[in-house]
């Protein structure tokens, strides 16, 4: 094999596929990035058996071939190359020469024929979404996916398309994050649970804007994301996602309009008083047009007050501060609205159009307003 | 005690003294920042028994007093306060109220009377140096101080003043870093070894420019740095520093002028081939007006070439790449000069005025140019 390309293109392509190189694996070949120039294009691939990423590298092929190179070392070498034209040449011994201007590296690769791919069944019509929109809605919900593996269905995020409507849902048993988007076109219905790890990598490497398309294909066992010159194939999480419709009741007794930044700063201000072993709730007390927030732990106490516009009953309710902060961080609105029924029912933070719905379960508190 | 100050001033003062809060200590009082408003000024102090930092906080005292507050929690709370006027008020129970606009925190402090200070003997006339100059020369040498504690004298940096001449020296047995500076005025001779840990903190908190003075006092057991409203007291390392004069021979057989950035990039380019368990040297071969650099490890080989201007003999010599890179990182000159005698003698990187001298010992290599 002998190929030539620009260092910047190569570095970019290596960065993209490196996201699928496994941290630990018993299959040594999977520690490699595959460079496949056996057909008319140069394709880089990596695969951790859960997901596979490939990307087309712009460049020219003067001798067709295929080689697998240790991902970590290859990527470090590529980053240290001068910014110029790079040539990668392999010999039949698998010795590989990487040259750029006055620099020459020699490493020994593995046979590209031994590389292992994820086998995907025939794909059908894609759903087409703006890359920017997709990246945003995943970033705005993925923090709610559970960290533990105790419930498989909670380790992924639901992506649901009905005609021209896209909904994503992430939940972990303490909170639910939902984003709704209207698409430009209508598509066949899709409902798929995608692992958090895959989505985390996809949003890192997807770099297009609002007018750049992302194609999503769903097969029996896999979901495929295609954007630019890159394809990500991932297993899907099998099973029926949680039915959350009955949670989405519109009943409330207390409706509070509040400045998002001030609300955030007050809750965030309580975090110095929380320790790993003493996770005290923040107690929110909405009375007339004022909300007091207090937290009391063995370290000390905090009391803060914000002006609000309240409709309905006064209410005192406790929350895990982190869950509220996580939601507030990803809401762009300056002013937000909370809907609450009572101290034991979930609090809804949502806009009128329901483009976002963040649901946080309350926590019990024994000693409200303790000082 | 009751004091009032601006949140930004308080945050800044807490940041400064926090650098002397010990990570681990058996004396609980040292986990605190002391706020001393018992005289006419507000002084914050922290002390890890090796060094003590105090700084004056601008503000007003409406009730004199003294309190010690848990450093970590106090500093977190201060950071989360609104940007406004802060009041800190203590009760005789040691309960401490920190209020700022609508936010109020209550924590329980410790008696300020129990705080422990470093006892310093009477100080004499200071040496006066520009804060910027001092910060620069320490940054440009401190990386050569040894990380291990096996030789106490190597865990600090020598600061030597002779009349109007300031010299700093750091060494670890493999390399020596020296900076020389002419001062505006002459001072009494000073020779003191300051622990690396102290210097690291001093250069973090020193923020003055070329015209802002740093006063250095040396007493029997301590060195004192005074700048702005801050004082750092540190123990000194006792003993006679290494005599390096005999190393500073001016003999050389090979003198090489080289572009610093290209030299750096070539050596840095070899780092992907080095692993923790296989620290191979970079082999530098200066022949006529060309220098080739090569490194060969079980991962692979690298060969690179740079144009040089050479006087004297051709020479092949091996180095630990890290030691050369560390020196090149802190040299501002575009072009540098190497002075070498033979493959077993140290390599000198220095300018004509000897404002900097970096000495790197060579390493043996068995199989030069292996491919």
């Amino acid at each position: 094999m002998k190929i030539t390309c620009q260092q910047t293109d190569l570095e970019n392509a290596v960065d993209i596929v490196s996201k699928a190189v496994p941290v630990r694996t018993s299959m040594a070949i999977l520690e490699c990035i595959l460079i496949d120039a056996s057909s008319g294009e140069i394709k880089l691939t990596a695969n951790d058996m859960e997901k596979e990423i490939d990307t087309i590298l712009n460049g020219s092929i003067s001798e067709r071939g295929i080689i697998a190179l240790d991902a970590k070392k290859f990527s470090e070498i590529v980053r240290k190359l001068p910014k110029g034209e790079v040539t990668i040449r392999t010999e039949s011994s698998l010795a590989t020469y990487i040259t750029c201007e006055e620099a020459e590296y020699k490493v020994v690769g593995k046979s590209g024929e031994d590389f292992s791919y994820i086998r995907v069944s025939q794909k059908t019509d894609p759903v087409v979404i703006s890359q920017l929109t997709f990246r945003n809605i995943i970033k705005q919900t993925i923090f709610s996916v559970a960290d533990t593996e105790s419930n498989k269905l909670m380790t992924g995020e639901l992506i649901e398309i009905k005609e021209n409507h896209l909904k994503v849902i992430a939940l972990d048993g303490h909170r639910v994050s939902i984003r709704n988007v209207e698409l430009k076109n209508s598509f066949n219905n899709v409902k798929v649970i995608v692992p958090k790890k895959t989505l985390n990598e996809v949003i890192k490497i997807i770099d297009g804007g609002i007018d750049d398309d992302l194609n999503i294909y769903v097969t029996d066992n896999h979901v495929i994301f295609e954007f630019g010159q890159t394809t990500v194939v991932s297993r899907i999480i099998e099973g029926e996602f949680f039915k959350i419709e009955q949670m989405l009741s519109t009943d409330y007794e207390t409706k509070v309009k509040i400045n998002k930044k001030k609300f955030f700063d007050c809750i965030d201000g309580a975090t110095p008083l929380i320790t790993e072993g003493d996770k005290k709730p923040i107690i929110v007390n909405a009375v007339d047009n004022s909300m007091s927030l207090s937290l009391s732990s063995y370290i000390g106490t905090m009391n803060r007050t914000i002006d609000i516009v309240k409709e309905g009953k006064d209410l005192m309710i406790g929350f895990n501060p982190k869950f509220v902060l996580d939601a507030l961080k990803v809401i762009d609105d300056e002013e937000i609205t909370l809907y609450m029924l009572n101290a034991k029912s979930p609090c809804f933070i949502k806009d009128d159009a329901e483009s976002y719905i963040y649901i946080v379960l309350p926590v019990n508190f024994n000693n409200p307003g303790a000082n």
Side-chain angles (χ1 to χ4, degrees), chain A:
Chain A
M1 185 189 83
K2 187 174 176 190
I3 60 169
T4 305
C5 62
Q6 290 301 312
Q7 188 274 342
T8 45
D9 292 337
L10 179 60
E11 184 171 341
N12 187 40
V14 167
D15 276 354
I16 289 172
V17 300
S18 289
K19 304 278 190 293
V21 174
V23 181
R24 275 177 299 276
T25 173
S26 53
M27 291 174 70
I29 190 76
L30 293 185
E31 288 165 354
C32 294
I33 290 174
L34 182 73
I35 305 176
D36 183 353
S38 60
S39 62
E41 59 186 13
I42 310 170
K43 190 196 271 190
L44 271 59
T45 307
N47 169 18
D48 65 8
M49 301 306 281
E50 293 266 303
K51 61 186 173 300
E52 179 177 297
I53 305 180
D54 68 56
T55 194
I56 305 296
L57 171 65
N58 294 327
S60 63
I61 303 171
S62 38
E63 193 189 319
R64 291 191 177 195
I66 184 167
I67 188 83
L69 299 176
D70 180 85
K72 190 154 168 288
K73 289 300 163 184
F74 179 54
S75 125
E76 284 175 22
I77 290 170
V78 167
R79 265 199 296 272
K80 300 289 187 185
L81 289 174
K83 306 271 170 267
E85 194 177 82
V86 181
T87 299
I88 303 177
R89 180 174 63 81
T90 60
E91 293 180 348
S92 55
S93 64
L94 300 176
T96 303
Y97 295 87
I98 305 159
T99 52
C100 184
E101 296 181 357
E102 41 61 45
E104 181 181 78
Y105 291 82
K106 179 190 164 196
V107 293
V108 178
K110 290 192 165 68
S111 168
E113 308 296 339
D114 297 341
F115 195 78
S116 179
Y117 299 88
I118 293 180
R119 311 235 165 258
V120 184
S121 30
Q122 191 63 37
K123 62 192 188 187
T124 51
D125 291 340
V127 174
V128 184
I129 308 176
S130 142
Q131 292 183 27
L132 184 71
T133 301
F134 187 76
R135 189 171 63 229
N136 283 346
I137 60 170
I138 298 301
K139 279 189 185 171
Q140 288 159 342
T141 50
I142 198 165
F143 58 86
S144 287
V145 177
D147 286 325
T148 65
E149 299 270 314
S150 57
N151 185 327
K152 264 288 167 198
L153 290 170
M154 285 188 186
T155 63
E157 182 156 355
L158 182 74
I159 297 176
E160 187 176 9
I161 291 122
K162 274 187 191 159
E163 296 181 350
N164 69 335
H165 186 90
L166 165 67
K167 183 200 287 273
V168 296
I169 306 178
L171 56 81
D172 68 359
H174 303 286
R175 52 184 166 168
V176 186
S177 298
I178 303 171
R179 286 272 171 171
N180 288 296
V181 176
E182 296 304 312
L183 303 176
K184 269 183 285 183
N185 301 305
S186 289
F187 301 94
N188 291 334
N189 289 359
V190 167
K191 206 170 172 183
V192 61
I193 310 170
V194 183
K196 179 182 186 176
K197 286 178 190 167
T198 299
L199 291 173
N200 259 333
E201 301 307 341
V202 169
I203 60 176
K204 272 184 214 155
I205 56 181
I206 216 171
D207 64 351
I210 190 77
D211 293 327
D212 295 309
D213 283 345
L214 165 70
N215 291 350
I216 304 179
Y217 302 86
V218 179
T219 72
D220 290 347
N221 300 304
H222 296 95
V223 56
I224 302 164
F225 299 93
E226 270 184 14
F227 48 99
Q229 297 189 293
T230 301
T231 304
V232 180
V233 176
S234 167
R235 72 170 179 92
I236 59 184
I237 296 174
E238 300 193 30
E240 187 72 23
F241 199 70
F242 308 93
K243 299 212 185 310
I244 60 157
E245 286 69 24
Q246 68 266 36
M247 278 191 70
L248 302 178
S249 139
T250 50
D251 289 353
Y252 65 86
E253 297 273 356
T254 308
K255 177 178 172 183
V256 171
K257 280 195 185 175
I258 193 166
N259 177 286
K260 192 202 69 173
K261 186 176 180 317
K262 287 186 184 164
F263 190 40
F264 183 91
D265 287 346
C266 284
I267 301 176
D268 189 42
T271 52
L273 305 180
I274 301 166
T275 58
E276 196 54 40
D278 183 36
K279 291 195 174 160
K280 287 293 193 315
I282 182 133
I283 294 159
V284 171
N285 194 11
V287 179
D288 300 333
N289 285 327
S290 169
M291 178 188 278
S292 71
L293 297 103
S294 61
L295 189 141
S296 183
S297 76
Y298 80 92
I299 292 165
T301 62
M302 181 202 81
N303 286 292
R304 295 177 88 147
T305 311
I306 332 176
D307 292 337
I308 57 173
V309 175
K310 183 172 68 67
E311 291 173 27
K313 291 186 180 170
D314 290 350
L315 177 67
M316 186 183 283
I317 185 168
F319 296 109
N320 179 327
K322 180 182 187 308
F323 294 159
V324 183
L325 291 175
D326 281 349
L328 297 180
K329 271 180 206 160
V330 297
I331 297 176
D332 291 328
D333 294 349
E334 271 183 44
E335 190 172 61
I336 56 166
T337 310
L338 317 179
Y339 299 84
M340 293 165 286
L341 186 61
N342 57 48
K344 310 216 162 190
S345 300
C347 168
F348 285 68
I349 308 172
K350 61 178 186 175
D351 60 347
D352 291 338
E354 300 201 337
S355 73
Y356 63 82
I357 307 174
Y358 293 96
I359 307 171
V360 180
L361 297 191
V363 289
N364 279 330
F365 52 96
N366 302 319
N367 193 13
N371 217 330

